[in-house]
Amino acid sequence: MAPTDQTDVRPPATWGSSTVHTACPLDCPDACSLAVKVEGGRILEIDGSHSAPTTNGFICGKVRKFDQRVYSSERVLYPSIRRGPKGRGEFTVVPWSEALDVIAERMQLARETFGAESVLPFYYGGSNGLLTNEMEDARLFRRFGASRLARTVCAAPTTAAATAMYGKMAGVAYQDYAHAKLIVVWGANPPASGIHLMAHIKQAQKSGARLVVIDPRRTPLARTADLHLPVAPGTDVAVALAVIRDLFDTGRADDAFLNAHATGVDALRAAAAPWSFAEAAETARIDEAHLRLFAEWYGTTSPAVIRCGWGQERNRNGGAASMAILALPAVAGKFGVRGGGYTMSNSSAYGLQAERWINTPESDARIVNMNQLGRALTEFDSPPISVLFAYNCNPLSTMPDQNRVKLGLEREDLFTVVFEQSMTDTAKYADVVLPATTFLEHYDVARGYGAYHLHLVQPVIEPLGEARPNHEVFRDLARRLGLVDADRDDALGQAEGLLDVTANLPDAVAQALSAGAVATGPAEGLPIQFVDVHPVTDDGKVHLAPDGVATTSGLYAFQPDPATTDYPLALISPASAHTISSTLGELRPGIAKLKMHPDDARARAIEDAEAVRIFNALGEVWCEVAVTPEVPPGVVSLPKGLWARSTENGATSNALVPDTLTDMGAGACFNDARVQVALRAKH
């Protein structure tokens, strides 16, 4: 890749006072282009650039303040080894060579004592690009023979549904929402994640488009909608199937499209048949008249687009719900026009194949589902987990059954490595902590999975302290373990690592990056479904009842609410404006508040701002309550991504989440937490 003005590989210190163009790889659909002002090797301001068409100079507040994480007093700057009890966060700084030698020795000892599968790499790549996730790390752990990780904490049911039905067909571009006459935002909250869609929604509304929001909460976006359906968690499949039944019953189904482009139509019709408006409305706890109105609008309006998010997948019915939602545009014939169809994840739109640059086959080692980390750490014995290597994630804050995860991390016979940017809750339980660079200190390739953006991430400052990028560290560790390529025994620098990825990208993508531009996906980032892009299935058709889909309950099946008399309230944990998953959790102000409907508060003699205890058989969380109609009766809400410091007892919503798995994709059931809430004396 030939260097250009935007792919300068000179050390950042030589840039002096300048504005450096880079991109954001954090776990958000937008992958914004950034303009970062730097002076004297220090970040002065992070702003949006105009390189990416959707960013257009605007970025979210989370990234705008990311320099606070870079320069935080809690930043991990040097390798260190534990010197106190686990969980206390007491460490002694050591040289990199000593830290890596210790890790290599413990991994080799684990392999000799229990076998290679006793080593578990634990990671999630949502906030990482192509270079810092599943490259050198994948090569290392595959060659070592470590346990494989099923990375299913997010997007597993939706990915399974979209792949089976459409082969992950590219979706409607943000810009084309302005052409829609009906916009349905289902299971998503763009103001909190994917904010650049909002400008196009507002433009469509100004042109007369209707907006429907389907979300348990009355979010700010829902308050601007023409119709809000506050469905109970886990009931989205019933609502979608009721609309599908109505489309067939009223003759609004597009039979010509279905005959030409779909299979499994009769099976879908049969699955929808039991779901009358009355049945679905009662199940979802919504107004039947409002459900009927939604069905009428969707059946009679074109172009109509659905922004399908991930909120509906976070429960036992996540796969069935996602399939039913994605079936709607096919049944109603909404494809083939600009602004019509659906958007889910566009991550596969660029033709990227990670296996091309990993270039090391998967081992046949056992698979550990990341949602059951607590179970793996406390129950596995054939072999036990002896070494845990956590990177690109903060599992104590983000995994279900938090108390069991914590119990596992407290094991004295568990050797834990945490490779991190900040001293997270997980890092405090580590035996060795390694300092990782942020995306403002290394090279990477970032791709949007909502907006059609794929572009270069480059360092704007030199790494602080002794922080190092992922691929260099895993390469160094592989050398110590004797797992490097025979012809590549040299150190892998940042620029060389970038070339290793870009050499395996499709030509059009690589050329765009080498020119310092943004690759925008099919049809210059403005594809019309069933015109410019089509299902990537074996026959090119939509599979409404796909064969061979692994499901625990059957396609489109509804499993009832797990609420009990003791624990009648559904606890949800939506994304917030403060964190990206748990990233930036150290900057979140104050103690989080539980949102509770006035009816539920009144029934428990709870008033606004009082101290409460949220509990079930798995644990309890202490915080204050915010009594608000933003959540419906029967639902309470705590933000996603909290750290221990954000509650009064150090537990978060995940302490109340079961480690049960979704019907498809073996995903997490965060919104299946059922709890009780009671007053608590303040401490």
Side-chain angles (χ1 to χ4, degrees):
M1 184 179 71
T4 69
D5 288 344
Q6 291 193 17
T7 58
D8 202 324
V9 295
R10 294 174 296 167
T14 69
W15 294 342
S17 178
S18 62
T19 296
V20 184
H21 291 271
T22 186
C24 175
L26 300 179
D27 193 2
C28 163
D30 294 2
C32 297
S33 58
L34 303 178
V36 183
K37 292 182 181 179
V38 178
E39 185 171 335
R42 187 175 179 89
I43 298 167
L44 296 183
E45 182 182 20
I46 304 173
D47 205 348
S49 83
H50 296 272
S51 299
T54 300
T55 306
N56 199 27
F58 174 71
I59 59 171
C60 71
K62 302 173 188 177
V63 175
R64 191 175 296 280
K65 68 179 182 181
F66 201 86
D67 59 317
Q68 294 180 32
R69 162 167 271 221
V70 175
Y71 299 119
S72 169
S73 61
E74 299 184 55
R75 181 78 192 272
V76 176
L77 296 176
Y78 304 98
S80 58
I81 292 179
R82 177 171 65 92
R83 61 178 174 83
K86 289 194 173 187
R88 191 173 293 177
E90 297 175 352
F91 297 92
T92 298
V93 172
V94 298
W96 264 104
S97 57
E98 180 178 341
L100 291 177
D101 285 345
V102 169
I103 294 168
E105 290 170 3
R106 291 301 296 259
M107 289 178 65
Q108 289 173 329
L109 177 62
R111 181 167 54 186
E112 293 167 0
T113 306
F114 300 108
E117 290 180 337
S118 67
V119 174
L120 176 64
F122 199 91
Y123 62 105
Y124 193 79
S127 285
N128 293 79
L130 306 183
L131 179 59
T132 51
N133 182 68
E134 292 225 303
M135 188 183 164
E136 289 295 334
D137 53 325
R139 293 171 183 161
L140 164 64
F141 291 116
R142 289 182 183 190
R143 292 172 183 176
F144 186 84
S147 285
R148 292 179 288 166
L149 186 70
R151 295 180 300 123
T152 56
V153 71
C154 181
T158 48
T159 297
T163 302
M165 297 176 72
Y166 292 95
K168 292 196 74 176
M169 176 176 65
V172 177
Y174 284 4
Q175 297 93 314
D176 282 342
Y177 276 63
H179 297 279
K181 298 300 181 185
L182 177 68
I183 298 172
V184 182
V185 179
W186 199 324
N189 185 23
S193 181
I195 195 170
H196 293 87
L197 179 58
M198 288 303 302
H200 305 289
I201 291 176
K202 290 178 180 178
Q203 183 180 350
Q205 287 180 293
K206 288 180 180 178
S207 299
R210 290 185 175 121
L211 173 64
V212 177
V213 173
I214 303 177
D215 189 307
R217 301 162 299 146
R218 190 169 178 260
T219 61
L221 180 64
R223 290 195 287 271
T224 71
D226 298 276
L227 182 63
H228 172 218
L229 299 180
V231 296
T235 65
D236 303 80
V237 60
V239 172
L241 289 176
V243 177
I244 289 171
R245 169 178 159 169
D246 181 69
L247 290 170
F248 283 121
D249 289 351
T250 60
R252 292 173 181 153
D254 190 334
D255 291 330
F257 177 88
L258 292 172
N259 289 335
H261 299 289
T263 65
V265 177
D266 290 341
L268 174 60
R269 187 198 296 262
W275 289 103
S276 65
F277 285 133
E279 183 71 21
E282 181 180 3
T283 298
R285 301 205 294 268
I286 57 176
D287 189 306
E288 181 182 341
H290 289 172
L291 178 53
R292 288 180 180 272
L293 184 60
F294 169 48
E296 180 183 345
W297 285 356
Y298 191 73
T300 59
T301 307
S302 184
V305 61
I306 296 176
R307 195 332 170 203
C308 182
W310 294 268
Q312 79 287 341
E313 76 162 14
R314 293 160 63 91
N315 63 82
R316 64 207 176 278
N317 298 318
S322 300
M323 284 190 63
I325 294 167
L326 293 178
L328 280 165
V331 175
K334 300 304 181 185
F335 296 120
V337 295
R338 191 166 297 282
Y342 72 86
T343 308
M344 183 178 272
S345 173
N346 292 324
S347 61
S348 62
Y350 312 96
L352 307 178
Q353 298 178 8
E355 293 298 326
R356 293 175 63 180
W357 55 80
I358 295 174
N359 197 29
T360 299
E362 280 271 23
S363 74
D364 59 357
R366 70 178 174 189
I367 298 175
V368 177
N369 189 302
M370 69 187 312
N371 299 308
Q372 298 179 332
L373 174 62
R375 194 180 301 268
L377 293 179
T378 59
E379 296 181 4
F380 281 21
D381 59 7
S382 297
I385 303 299
S386 179
V387 174
L388 177 71
F389 198 124
Y391 62 103
N392 294 358
C393 68
N394 180 14
L396 184 55
S397 295
T398 57
M399 294 301 117
D401 202 358
Q402 184 179 72
N403 287 329
R404 184 148 43 172
V405 174
K406 182 180 178 182
L407 186 65
L409 291 174
E410 290 172 342
R411 283 174 42 203
E412 282 298 330
D413 63 334
L414 174 69
F415 182 77
T416 301
V417 181
V418 175
F419 186 17
E420 253 295 355
Q421 300 167 5
S422 297
M423 186 55 66
T424 63
D425 292 346
T426 308
K428 292 178 180 179
Y429 286 85
D431 294 280
V432 176
V433 177
L434 303 177
T437 47
T438 69
F439 74 89
L440 295 170
E441 299 163 298
H442 61 225
Y443 285 99
D444 212 335
V445 177
R447 61 177 168 180
Y449 55 92
Y452 284 105
H453 296 166
L454 188 142
H455 39 189
L456 180 71
V457 177
Q458 65 174 347
V460 304
I461 58 170
E462 292 183 348
L464 267 64
E466 295 180 7
R468 296 177 63 187
N470 288 15
H471 61 283
E472 290 185 3
V473 171
F474 285 113
R475 183 70 178 176
D476 206 348
L477 183 57
R479 185 180 300 106
R480 283 171 164 77
L481 292 167
L483 301 174
V484 295
D485 298 319
D487 59 345
R488 294 190 61 205
D489 196 22
D490 56 330
L492 188 66
Q494 291 198 57
E496 183 185 350
L498 185 65
L499 289 169
D500 205 22
V501 170
T502 56
N504 287 287
L505 296 179
D507 290 343
V509 174
Q511 289 169 10
L513 290 175
S514 67
V518 177
T520 54
E524 298 184 351
L526 295 170
I528 299 174
Q529 292 176 312
F530 283 86
V531 174
D532 302 303
V533 293
H534 298 83
V536 192
T537 53
D538 54 2
D539 56 3
K541 294 185 176 183
V542 186
H543 295 173
L544 297 175
D547 295 328
V549 176
T551 173
T552 59
S553 57
L555 297 178
Y556 303 109
F558 173 77
Q559 300 176 74
D561 195 313
T564 64
T565 302
D566 290 336
Y567 308 117
L569 300 172
L571 172 65
I572 61 175
S573 49
S576 75
H578 295 291
T579 64
I580 303 167
S581 189
S582 74
T583 301
L584 299 174
E586 74 274 27
L587 304 179
R588 195 184 192 284
I591 299 295
K593 290 193 174 185
L594 177 78
K595 292 182 178 179
M596 177 180 245
H597 190 273
D599 291 351
D600 291 325
R602 192 177 304 112
R604 293 162 176 78
I606 294 172
E607 296 185 2
D608 188 58
E610 288 195 299
V612 295
R613 169 178 173 253
I614 315 146
F615 62 96
N616 62 18
L618 296 175
E620 61 182 17
V621 179
W622 295 359
C623 64
E624 290 186 355
V625 67
V627 178
T628 171
E630 181 181 323
V631 292
V635 176
V636 291
S637 174
L638 267 177
K640 175 183 178 182
L642 297 179
W643 289 21
R645 69 189 64 189
S646 292
T647 68
E648 294 181 7
N649 69 332
T652 73
S653 60
N654 287 351
L656 309 172
V657 173
D659 69 355
T660 52
L661 304 177
T662 55
D663 53 346
M664 291 171 55
C669 293
F670 291 107
N671 290 351
D672 276 350
R674 296 298 181 263
V675 301
Q676 184 57 279
V677 179
L679 280 172
R680 174 181 56 82
K682 286 190 176 183
H683 291 267

